[in-house]
Amino acid sequence: MRVLVVTAVPVERDAVTRAFGGTPESVILPGAELHRSGAFDVLAGGAGPAAAAAAAAFALASTQHPSSTRHPYGLVVSAGIGGGFAPAAPLGSLVVASDIVAADLGAETPDGFAPVTALGFGRDRFTPPPALVREVASATGAAPGPVLTVSTVTGTADRTAALLAAHPDALAEAMEGFGVAEAAERAGVPVLELRAISNTVGPRDRAAWRIGDALAALTEAFGKSAPVLEGWNRHDH
């Protein structure tokens, strides 16, 4: 099965492809460059849900065109580093999303934030295949739990508290998962999100971030989970 992995930036893309060894093949698509390693195509789609959705949609559509010689993808993975909610997701740990949640898609009201679903339209979460979440968690040691997609990285204690009040089981936040999930849903392809924790969600302190450790953890995670992802078949579950 072919797997599309969508990261935000090249350093995340390269961390993922290192897990597969060798020199990846470069494939140019409209607005994106894929790095192909065996069954995995990895791209850096840009930061934020809109860029991630656009990049994932282009890549997914490229395999569905009548002139394409590539096999369609059987799975899409949003991957990269992210912020962890303490103490559940410490620095350097891994999180696999049981739910991919758009935490700031909605409206401010006099009574507080209202998610888009409360407004009577849209959706605010996607649920990856539970069996696949369990298998990846087992292979990598990742903690399974909700991962929040935000358009603005959290930088204050008040915002952290508000997010946890709305999503008490949340383990991490990142900026691309929901966008990737939107594209995957429209293409009829299952989605997964895997994050390595580089910083603690809360007051912004770049000196405390451990990006290098998180990228190393991301490489290790894909090394361990590659057989699970490549061999997974949703029709067997």
Side-chain angles (χ1 to χ4, degrees):
M1 181 180 72
R2 296 209 62 78
V3 180
L4 174 65
V5 183
V6 183
T7 70
V9 293
V11 68
E12 294 171 323
R13 177 199 62 202
D14 296 344
V16 172
T17 55
R18 274 197 296 274
F20 310 129
T23 302
E25 174 191 359
S26 179
V27 180
I28 304 300
L29 296 177
E33 177 185 356
L34 291 174
H35 284 191
R36 176 169 299 162
S37 297
F40 293 85
D41 286 355
V42 190
L43 66 83
F58 267 119
L60 287 162
S62 71
T63 66
Q64 297 173 337
H65 192 276
S67 64
S68 175
T69 59
R70 297 192 295 133
H71 294 295
Y73 296 109
L75 176 68
V76 182
V77 182
S78 176
I81 63 176
F85 288 98
L91 298 181
S93 67
L94 297 167
V95 171
V96 58
S98 60
D99 294 277
I100 300 170
V101 184
D104 54 11
L105 181 62
E108 291 291 342
T109 77
D111 298 319
F113 177 77
V116 67
T117 51
L119 304 178
F121 57 89
R123 64 187 300 173
D124 64 355
R125 73 180 54 226
F126 291 92
T127 301
L132 180 58
V133 171
R134 289 193 298 269
E135 291 179 29
V136 170
S138 177
T140 63
V147 176
L148 309 184
T149 298
V150 295
S151 295
T152 301
V153 174
T154 301
T156 67
D158 287 346
R159 178 59 177 157
T160 303
L163 287 174
L164 286 174
H167 309 281
D169 297 327
L171 294 184
E173 72 168 20
M175 300 180 73
E176 293 79 33
F178 193 81
V180 174
E182 287 275 21
E185 170 76 8
R186 283 160 171 71
V189 181
V191 68
L192 187 76
E193 184 170 9
L194 183 60
R195 294 284 166 183
I197 302 305
S198 59
N199 59 282
T200 299
V201 177
R204 193 169 176 83
D205 179 10
R206 288 297 299 268
W209 290 20
R210 296 293 180 266
I211 292 176
D213 292 343
L215 292 172
L218 189 65
T219 300
E220 184 177 0
F222 272 89
K224 292 178 177 178
S225 64
V228 173
L229 300 175
E230 184 179 357
W232 186 76
N233 187 333
R234 60 176 154 170
H235 302 295
D236 292 339
H237 296 81

